[in-house]
Every structure is written in structure tokens, then in C-alpha cells.
Coordinates of all heavy atoms in Angstrom, one line a residue:
M9 N 53.9 -119.5 24.3 CA 54.6 -118.3 24.7 C 54.7 -117.3 23.6 O 54.7 -117.7 22.5 CB 56.2 -118.8 25.1 CG 57.2 -118.5 24.1 SD 58.8 -119.1 24.4 CE 59.7 -118.3 23.2
F10 N 54.8 -116.1 24.0 CA 55.0 -115.0 23.0 C 56.4 -114.4 23.2 O 56.9 -114.4 24.3 CB 53.9 -113.8 23.3 CG 52.5 -114.4 22.9 CD1 51.6 -114.8 23.9 CD2 52.0 -114.2 21.6 CE1 50.4 -115.3 23.6 CE2 50.7 -114.6 21.3 CZ 50.0 -115.2 22.3
Y11 N 56.8 -113.9 22.1 CA 58.3 -113.2 22.2 C 58.2 -112.1 21.1 O 57.6 -112.1 20.3 CB 59.3 -114.3 22.1 CG 59.5 -114.9 20.8 CD1 60.3 -114.6 19.8 CD2 58.6 -116.0 20.5 CE1 60.3 -115.1 18.6 CE2 58.7 -116.8 19.4 CZ 59.4 -116.2 18.3 OH 59.5 -117.0 17.1
V12 N 59.2 -111.2 21.5 CA 59.5 -110.1 20.5 C 60.9 -110.4 19.8 O 61.7 -111.0 20.4 CB 59.6 -108.7 21.2 CG1 58.3 -108.5 21.8 CG2 60.6 -108.6 22.4
K13 N 60.9 -110.1 18.6 CA 62.0 -110.2 17.7 C 62.5 -108.9 17.2 O 61.7 -108.1 17.0 CB 61.7 -111.0 16.5 CG 62.0 -112.6 16.5 CD 61.3 -113.4 15.5 CE 61.8 -113.2 14.2 NZ 61.3 -114.1 13.1
S14 N 63.8 -108.7 17.3 CA 64.3 -107.4 16.9 C 65.7 -107.7 16.2 O 66.5 -108.4 16.6 CB 64.4 -106.5 18.1 OG 64.8 -105.1 17.6
K15 N 65.8 -106.8 15.1 CA 67.2 -106.8 14.5 C 68.1 -105.8 15.2 O 67.7 -104.7 15.5 CB 67.0 -106.4 13.0 CG 66.4 -107.6 12.1 CD 66.9 -107.4 10.8 CE 66.6 -108.6 9.9 NZ 65.3 -109.1 9.8
M16 N 69.3 -106.2 15.4 CA 70.5 -105.2 16.0 C 70.8 -104.5 14.9 O 70.8 -104.9 13.7 CB 71.4 -106.1 16.5 CG 71.1 -107.3 17.4 SD 70.5 -106.7 19.1 CE 72.0 -106.6 19.9
N17 N 71.2 -103.2 15.2 CA 71.6 -102.3 14.3 C 72.8 -102.8 13.5 O 73.6 -103.4 14.1 CB 72.0 -100.9 14.8 CG 70.6 -100.1 15.2 OD1 69.7 -100.4 14.5 ND2 70.9 -99.1 16.0
G18 N 73.1 -102.5 12.3 CA 74.2 -102.9 11.5 C 73.7 -103.1 10.0 O 72.6 -102.9 9.8
N19 N 74.8 -103.3 9.3 CA 74.3 -103.4 7.8 C 73.9 -104.9 7.6 O 73.9 -105.7 8.6 CB 75.5 -103.3 7.0 CG 76.7 -104.2 7.1 OD1 76.5 -105.3 7.4 ND2 77.9 -103.6 7.1
D20 N 73.2 -105.1 6.6 CA 72.5 -106.4 6.3 C 73.3 -107.5 6.6 O 72.8 -108.6 7.3 CB 72.0 -106.5 4.9 CG 70.7 -105.6 4.8 OD1 70.2 -105.3 5.7 OD2 70.3 -105.4 3.8
K21 N 74.6 -107.6 6.2 CA 75.4 -108.9 6.4 C 75.8 -109.1 7.9 O 75.9 -110.2 8.4 CB 76.7 -108.7 5.6 CG 76.6 -108.9 4.2 CD 77.8 -108.7 3.4 CE 77.5 -108.6 1.9 NZ 78.6 -108.1 1.2
A22 N 75.8 -107.9 8.6 CA 76.4 -108.0 10.0 C 75.1 -108.0 11.0 O 75.5 -108.2 12.2 CB 77.3 -106.8 10.3
S23 N 74.0 -107.8 10.5 CA 72.9 -107.7 11.4 C 72.5 -109.0 12.2 O 72.5 -110.1 11.4 CB 71.6 -107.1 10.9 OG 71.0 -107.9 9.9
A24 N 72.3 -108.9 13.3 CA 71.9 -110.2 14.1 C 70.5 -109.9 14.7 O 70.0 -108.8 14.6 CB 72.8 -110.3 15.2
E25 N 69.9 -110.9 14.8 CA 68.4 -110.9 15.4 C 68.3 -111.4 16.7 O 69.1 -112.5 16.9 CB 67.5 -111.7 14.4 CG 66.0 -111.4 14.6 CD 65.3 -112.1 13.4 OE1 65.1 -113.2 13.6 OE2 64.9 -111.4 12.6
I26 N 67.6 -110.8 17.5 CA 67.4 -111.5 18.9 C 65.9 -111.6 19.1 O 65.1 -110.9 18.6 CB 67.9 -110.5 20.0 CG1 67.3 -109.2 20.1 CG2 69.4 -110.4 19.9 CD1 67.4 -108.5 21.5
A27 N 65.5 -112.8 19.9 CA 64.2 -113.1 20.3 C 64.2 -113.1 21.7 O 65.0 -113.7 22.4 CB 63.8 -114.3 19.7
V28 N 63.2 -112.3 22.3 CA 63.1 -112.3 23.8 C 61.7 -112.7 24.2 O 60.7 -112.1 23.7 CB 63.4 -110.9 24.3 CG1 63.2 -110.9 25.9 CG2 64.7 -110.5 23.9
E29 N 61.5 -113.6 24.9 CA 60.3 -114.1 25.4 C 59.7 -113.1 26.3 O 60.3 -112.5 27.1 CB 60.5 -115.5 26.3 CG 59.1 -116.0 26.7 CD 59.2 -117.3 27.6 OE1 60.4 -117.7 27.7 OE2 58.3 -117.8 28.1
I30 N 58.4 -112.9 26.1 CA 57.6 -112.0 26.9 C 57.1 -112.6 28.1 O 56.4 -113.6 28.0 CB 56.4 -111.3 26.2 CG1 57.0 -110.5 25.0 CG2 55.6 -110.4 27.1 CD1 55.8 -110.1 24.1
T31 N 57.5 -112.1 29.3 CA 57.0 -112.7 30.5 C 56.3 -111.6 31.4 O 56.1 -110.5 30.9 CB 58.2 -113.4 31.3 OG1 58.9 -112.4 31.9 CG2 58.9 -114.3 30.4
D32 N 55.8 -112.0 32.6 CA 55.2 -111.0 33.4 C 56.2 -110.2 34.1 O 55.9 -109.4 35.0 CB 54.2 -111.7 34.3 CG 54.8 -112.8 35.3 OD1 56.0 -113.1 35.1 OD2 54.2 -113.4 36.0
E33 N 57.5 -110.4 33.9 CA 58.6 -109.7 34.5 C 59.5 -109.0 33.7 O 60.4 -108.3 34.1 CB 59.4 -110.7 35.3 CG 58.7 -111.3 36.5 CD 59.5 -112.5 37.2 OE1 60.5 -112.8 36.7 OE2 59.1 -112.7 38.3
N34 N 59.3 -109.0 32.3 CA 60.2 -108.2 31.4 C 59.6 -107.3 30.5 O 60.2 -106.9 29.4 CB 61.2 -109.2 30.6 CG 60.5 -110.2 29.5 OD1 59.2 -109.8 29.5 ND2 61.1 -110.9 28.9
V35 N 58.4 -106.8 30.8 CA 57.8 -105.8 30.1 C 57.9 -104.5 30.9 O 57.5 -104.5 31.9 CB 56.3 -106.2 29.7 CG1 55.6 -105.1 28.8 CG2 56.4 -107.5 28.9
Y36 N 58.2 -103.5 30.1 CA 58.4 -102.1 30.8 C 57.7 -101.1 30.0 O 57.6 -101.3 28.7 CB 59.9 -101.8 31.0 CG 60.7 -102.6 32.0 CD1 61.1 -103.9 31.5 CD2 60.7 -102.4 33.4 CE1 61.7 -104.7 32.4 CE2 61.2 -103.4 34.2 CZ 61.8 -104.5 33.7 OH 62.5 -105.3 34.5
T37 N 57.4 -100.0 30.5 CA 56.9 -98.8 29.9 C 57.6 -97.5 30.5 O 58.3 -97.7 31.4 CB 55.5 -98.6 29.8 OG1 55.1 -97.7 28.9 CG2 54.9 -98.4 31.2
R38 N 57.5 -96.4 29.9 CA 57.9 -95.2 30.5 C 56.8 -94.3 30.9 O 55.8 -94.1 30.1 CB 59.0 -94.4 29.6 CG 60.3 -95.2 29.4 CD 61.4 -94.4 29.1 NE 62.7 -95.2 29.1 CZ 63.4 -95.3 30.1 NH1 63.2 -94.7 31.2 NH2 64.5 -96.1 29.8
C39 N 56.9 -93.6 32.0 CA 55.7 -92.7 32.5 C 55.8 -91.5 31.5 O 56.9 -90.9 31.3 CB 56.1 -92.3 33.9 SG 55.1 -90.9 34.5
P40 N 54.7 -91.2 30.9 CA 54.6 -90.0 29.9 C 54.8 -88.6 30.7 O 55.2 -87.8 30.0 CB 53.3 -90.1 29.3 CG 52.5 -91.3 29.9 CD 53.4 -91.8 31.0
G41 N 54.8 -88.7 32.0 CA 55.0 -87.4 32.7 C 56.4 -87.2 33.0 O 57.0 -86.1 32.7
C42 N 57.2 -88.1 33.5 CA 58.5 -87.9 33.9 C 59.6 -88.8 33.2 O 60.8 -88.6 33.4 CB 58.6 -88.0 35.4 SG 58.5 -89.7 36.0
G43 N 59.1 -89.8 32.5 CA 60.1 -90.7 31.7 C 60.5 -91.9 32.6 O 61.4 -92.6 32.2
A44 N 60.1 -92.0 33.8 CA 60.7 -93.0 34.6 C 60.2 -94.5 34.0 O 59.1 -94.6 33.5 CB 60.1 -92.9 36.0
E45 N 61.2 -95.3 34.2 CA 60.8 -96.7 33.7 C 59.9 -97.5 34.7 O 60.1 -97.4 35.9 CB 62.1 -97.5 33.5 CG 61.9 -98.9 33.0 CD 63.3 -99.6 32.9 OE1 63.6 -100.2 33.8 OE2 63.8 -99.6 31.8
I46 N 58.9 -98.0 34.3 CA 58.0 -98.8 35.1 C 57.7 -100.1 34.6 O 57.4 -100.4 33.4 CB 56.5 -98.0 35.0 CG1 56.6 -96.6 35.3 CG2 55.3 -98.7 35.8 CD1 55.4 -95.8 34.9
P47 N 57.9 -101.2 35.4 CA 57.7 -102.5 35.1 C 56.1 -102.8 34.9 O 55.2 -102.2 35.8 CB 58.2 -103.3 36.4 CG 58.4 -102.4 37.5 CD 58.3 -101.1 36.9
V48 N 55.8 -103.5 34.0 CA 54.4 -103.8 33.7 C 54.2 -105.3 33.7 O 54.8 -106.0 33.2 CB 54.1 -103.2 32.3 CG1 52.6 -103.6 31.9 CG2 54.3 -101.7 32.2
D49 N 53.0 -105.7 34.6 CA 52.7 -107.0 34.6 C 51.6 -107.2 33.4 O 50.4 -106.9 33.6 CB 51.9 -107.3 35.8 CG 51.8 -108.9 36.0 OD1 51.5 -109.5 34.9 OD2 51.5 -109.3 37.1
I50 N 52.2 -107.4 32.2 CA 51.2 -107.3 31.0 C 50.1 -108.3 31.0 O 49.0 -108.0 30.6 CB 52.2 -107.6 29.7 CG1 51.6 -107.1 28.5 CG2 52.6 -109.1 29.6 CD1 51.7 -105.7 28.2
V51 N 50.3 -109.4 31.7 CA 49.2 -110.6 31.7 C 48.1 -109.9 32.7 O 47.0 -110.0 32.3 CB 49.8 -111.9 32.3 CG1 48.7 -112.7 32.4 CG2 50.7 -112.4 31.4
E52 N 48.5 -109.4 33.8 CA 47.5 -108.9 34.6 C 46.8 -107.8 34.1 O 45.6 -107.6 34.4 CB 48.2 -108.6 36.0 CG 47.3 -108.1 37.2 CD 46.3 -109.0 37.5 OE1 46.5 -110.3 37.4 OE2 45.2 -108.6 38.0
D53 N 47.6 -106.8 33.6 CA 47.1 -105.6 33.1 C 46.0 -105.8 32.0 O 45.0 -105.1 31.8 CB 48.0 -104.5 32.6 CG 48.6 -103.8 33.9 OD1 48.2 -104.1 35.0 OD2 49.8 -103.2 33.8
I54 N 46.3 -106.7 31.0 CA 45.3 -107.0 29.9 C 44.1 -107.6 30.5 O 43.0 -107.3 30.1 CB 46.1 -108.0 28.8 CG1 47.1 -107.2 28.1 CG2 45.1 -108.6 28.0 CD1 48.0 -108.1 27.1
R55 N 44.2 -108.4 31.5 CA 43.0 -109.0 32.1 C 42.3 -107.9 32.8 O 41.0 -108.0 32.7 CB 43.6 -110.1 33.1 CG 42.5 -111.0 33.5 CD 43.0 -112.2 34.4 NE 44.1 -112.9 33.9 CZ 45.0 -113.4 34.5 NH1 45.3 -113.2 35.8 NH2 45.8 -114.3 34.0
R56 N 42.9 -107.1 33.6 CA 42.3 -106.0 34.4 C 41.6 -104.9 33.6 O 40.5 -104.6 34.1 CB 43.2 -105.5 35.3 CG 42.5 -104.8 36.6 CD 43.4 -104.2 37.6 NE 44.6 -105.0 37.7 CZ 45.8 -104.5 38.3 NH1 45.8 -103.2 38.7 NH2 46.9 -105.1 38.5
Y57 N 42.3 -104.5 32.6 CA 41.7 -103.3 32.0 C 41.2 -103.8 30.5 O 41.9 -104.2 29.6 CB 42.8 -102.2 31.7 CG 43.4 -101.8 33.0 CD1 44.6 -102.3 33.4 CD2 42.7 -101.1 33.9 CE1 45.2 -101.8 34.6 CE2 43.0 -100.7 35.2 CZ 44.5 -101.1 35.4 OH 45.0 -100.7 36.6
E58 N 39.8 -103.7 30.4 CA 39.1 -104.1 29.3 C 39.5 -103.5 28.0 O 39.7 -104.1 26.9 CB 37.7 -103.8 29.5 CG 36.6 -104.7 28.8 CD 35.3 -104.0 29.3 OE1 34.7 -103.3 28.7 OE2 34.7 -104.9 30.2
D59 N 40.0 -102.2 28.1 CA 40.3 -101.5 26.9 C 41.9 -101.3 26.8 O 42.3 -100.4 26.2 CB 39.6 -100.1 26.8 CG 39.8 -99.3 28.0 OD1 40.6 -99.7 29.0 OD2 39.3 -98.1 28.0
F60 N 42.6 -102.1 27.5 CA 44.0 -102.0 27.4 C 44.4 -102.2 25.9 O 44.0 -103.1 25.2 CB 44.7 -103.2 28.1 CG 46.2 -103.1 28.2 CD1 46.8 -102.4 29.3 CD2 46.9 -103.8 27.3 CE1 48.1 -102.4 29.3 CE2 48.4 -103.7 27.4 CZ 48.9 -102.9 28.4
D61 N 45.4 -101.3 25.4 CA 45.8 -101.2 24.2 C 47.4 -101.0 24.1 O 47.8 -100.1 24.8 CB 45.2 -100.0 23.4 CG 45.8 -99.5 22.3 OD1 46.7 -100.3 21.7 OD2 45.4 -98.6 21.7
L62 N 48.1 -102.1 23.6 CA 49.5 -102.1 23.7 C 50.2 -100.8 23.3 O 51.2 -100.4 23.7 CB 50.1 -103.3 23.0 CG 51.3 -103.9 23.3 CD1 51.5 -104.0 24.9 CD2 51.5 -105.2 22.6
F63 N 49.5 -100.1 22.2 CA 50.2 -99.0 21.6 C 49.5 -97.7 22.1 O 50.1 -96.5 22.0 CB 50.0 -99.0 20.1 CG 50.6 -100.4 19.6 CD1 49.7 -101.3 19.1 CD2 51.9 -100.6 19.6 CE1 50.2 -102.5 18.7 CE2 52.4 -101.8 19.2 CZ 51.7 -102.8 18.7
G64 N 48.3 -97.7 22.6 CA 47.7 -96.5 23.0 C 47.6 -96.3 24.6 O 47.2 -95.1 25.1
T65 N 47.9 -97.2 25.3 CA 47.8 -97.1 26.7 C 49.0 -96.6 27.4 O 50.0 -97.1 27.2 CB 47.5 -98.5 27.5 OG1 46.2 -99.0 26.8 CG2 47.3 -98.4 29.0
S66 N 48.9 -95.7 28.3 CA 50.0 -95.1 29.0 C 49.8 -95.4 30.5 O 48.8 -95.5 31.0 CB 50.1 -93.5 28.8 OG 50.3 -93.2 27.5
I67 N 50.9 -95.6 31.1 CA 51.0 -96.0 32.6 C 51.8 -94.8 33.2 O 53.0 -94.7 32.8 CB 51.5 -97.4 33.0 CG1 50.5 -98.4 32.3 CG2 51.6 -97.6 34.3 CD1 50.9 -99.7 32.4
F68 N 51.2 -94.2 34.2 CA 51.9 -93.1 34.9 C 52.5 -93.7 36.2 O 52.0 -94.6 36.8 CB 51.0 -92.0 35.3 CG 50.6 -91.1 34.1 CD1 49.5 -91.5 33.4 CD2 51.3 -90.0 33.7 CE1 49.1 -90.8 32.2 CE2 50.9 -89.3 32.7 CZ 49.9 -89.6 31.9
C69 N 53.6 -93.2 36.7 CA 54.3 -93.8 37.9 C 53.5 -93.2 39.2 O 53.4 -94.0 40.1 CB 55.7 -93.4 38.0 SG 56.1 -91.6 38.1
N70 N 52.9 -92.1 39.1 CA 52.1 -91.6 40.2 C 51.1 -90.5 39.9 O 51.2 -90.0 38.6 CB 52.9 -91.2 41.4 CG 53.7 -89.9 41.0 OD1 53.3 -88.9 40.5 ND2 55.1 -90.1 41.3
N71 N 50.2 -90.2 40.7 CA 49.1 -89.2 40.4 C 49.7 -87.8 40.1 O 49.2 -87.1 39.2 CB 48.2 -89.2 41.6 CG 46.8 -88.9 41.0 OD1 46.4 -89.3 40.0 ND2 46.1 -88.2 41.8
D72 N 50.9 -87.4 40.6 CA 51.5 -86.1 40.3 C 51.8 -86.1 38.8 O 51.6 -85.0 38.2 CB 52.8 -85.9 41.1 CG 52.4 -85.7 42.5 OD1 51.2 -85.4 43.0 OD2 53.4 -85.7 43.4
C73 N 52.3 -87.1 38.2 CA 52.7 -87.3 36.9 C 51.5 -87.0 36.1 O 51.5 -86.4 34.9 CB 53.5 -88.4 36.5 SG 55.3 -88.3 37.0
V74 N 50.4 -87.5 36.5 CA 49.1 -87.4 35.7 C 48.7 -86.0 35.6 O 48.4 -85.4 34.5 CB 47.9 -88.3 36.3 CG1 46.7 -88.1 35.5 CG2 48.3 -89.6 36.3
I75 N 48.8 -85.3 36.8 CA 48.4 -83.9 36.9 C 49.3 -83.0 36.0 O 48.9 -82.3 35.2 CB 48.5 -83.5 38.3 CG1 47.2 -84.2 39.1 CG2 48.2 -81.9 38.4 CD1 47.4 -84.1 40.5
K76 N 50.6 -83.4 36.2 CA 51.6 -82.5 35.4 C 51.4 -82.7 33.9 O 51.4 -81.8 33.0 CB 53.0 -83.0 35.7 CG 53.8 -82.1 36.7 CD 55.1 -82.6 36.8 CE 55.4 -83.4 38.1 NZ 56.7 -84.1 38.2
Y77 N 51.2 -84.0 33.6 CA 51.0 -84.3 32.1 C 49.7 -83.6 31.6 O 49.8 -83.0 30.5 CB 50.8 -85.8 31.9 CG 50.8 -86.4 30.5 CD1 51.8 -86.4 29.5 CD2 49.6 -86.7 30.0 CE1 51.7 -86.8 28.3 CE2 49.4 -87.2 28.6 CZ 50.5 -87.2 27.9 OH 50.4 -87.6 26.6
K78 N 48.6 -83.7 32.3 CA 47.4 -83.1 31.7 C 47.7 -81.5 31.6 O 47.1 -81.0 30.6 CB 46.3 -83.3 32.9 CG 45.7 -84.8 32.5 CD 44.5 -85.0 33.5 CE 44.0 -86.4 33.0 NZ 43.0 -86.8 34.1
K79 N 48.4 -80.8 32.7 CA 48.6 -79.4 32.6 C 49.4 -79.2 31.3 O 49.0 -78.2 30.6 CB 49.3 -78.9 33.8 CG 48.5 -78.7 34.9 CD 49.2 -78.0 36.1 CE 48.4 -77.8 37.3 NZ 49.1 -77.8 38.5
K80 N 50.4 -79.9 31.0 CA 51.3 -79.7 29.9 C 50.6 -79.7 28.6 O 50.8 -79.0 27.8 CB 52.5 -80.8 29.9 CG 53.7 -80.3 29.4 CD 54.8 -81.3 29.7 CE 55.0 -82.4 28.8 NZ 56.1 -83.2 29.1
R81 N 49.7 -80.7 28.6 CA 48.9 -80.9 27.3 C 48.0 -79.9 27.1 O 47.6 -79.4 25.9 CB 48.2 -82.4 27.3 CG 49.1 -83.5 27.1 CD 48.5 -84.7 26.7 NE 48.1 -84.7 25.2 CZ 47.5 -85.7 24.6 NH1 47.2 -86.9 25.3 NH2 47.2 -85.5 23.5
A82 N 47.2 -79.4 28.2 CA 46.3 -78.3 28.1 C 46.8 -77.0 27.6 O 46.2 -76.3 26.9 CB 45.7 -78.2 29.5
S83 N 48.2 -76.8 27.9 CA 48.8 -75.6 27.5 C 49.3 -75.5 26.0 O 49.8 -74.5 25.7 CB 50.0 -75.2 28.5 OG 51.0 -76.1 28.4
C84 N 49.3 -76.7 25.5 CA 49.8 -76.6 24.0 C 48.8 -76.4 23.1 O 47.7 -76.5 23.3 CB 50.3 -78.2 23.7 SG 51.7 -78.7 24.4
Ligands
LIG2 ZN1 56.2 -90.0 36.3

């Protein structure tokens, strides 16, 4: 099993640490177009997309957001 560990905010003495197991149901990302939360089947997506990259891959909620995002980037 894989899990993520994170320190809760607080000073050193009061900080607590949580560990959460990564499953195919608790990984989420946000659409770069509209910010909507999207559930990700991380196991399936890594298997399906050869160049899947946890830090560089974006998932859009729909095609309209892809178009909006590309327009926004093109105008910068
Ligand atoms: Zn979107």
C-alpha cells in the first residue's frame, strides 16, 4: 500500500501528522480550466497513460475547459 503523510499546521510541539492510504477512490485533482474537483482513478490512469506524471499531468472536467484554458494561455 502507498500512503501520503502530512503535518497539520501548528508549531512544532503541537503539530500532528496524518497518514492517508492512497486508494483508487481518494485521489482528486482540480480542473485547470474551472477549478472543479475531479476524482482520479490513479491506478487506472497510470496504467492507461504511458506518460502520466503525478506533477505535470492535468485532467480537465470537460472539453469546454480545455478550449477555455488553451485560449487563456494563448492570450498571455
Ligand atoms: Zn473544468
Side-chain angles (χ1 to χ4, degrees):
M9 106 181 190
F10 291 92
Y11 62 96
V12 293
K13 263 166 67 168
S14 184
K15 285 210 162 62
M16 312 288 273
N17 284 340
N19 61 40
D20 284 345
K21 285 178 191 161
S23 74
E25 193 173 81
I26 61 164
V28 179
E29 182 182 358
I30 297 171
T31 70
D32 57 358
E33 293 176 344
N34 70 358
V35 179
Y36 296 87
T37 189
R38 288 207 180 267
C39 171
C42 69
E45 186 179 81
I46 304 168
V48 177
D49 185 338
I50 197 85
V51 176
E52 182 60 29
D53 285 352
I54 288 173
R55 194 179 298 143
R56 195 181 328 159
Y57 303 109
E58 205 172 89
D59 56 353
F60 186 90
D61 164 6
L62 204 51
F63 305 107
T65 300
S66 298
I67 298 173
F68 290 86
C69 63
N70 64 49
N71 214 34
D72 288 347
C73 282
V74 176
I75 294 162
K76 266 190 255 167
Y77 183 75
K78 281 184 177 170
K79 274 187 189 162
K80 212 166 81 180
R81 288 198 74 175
S83 66
C84 287

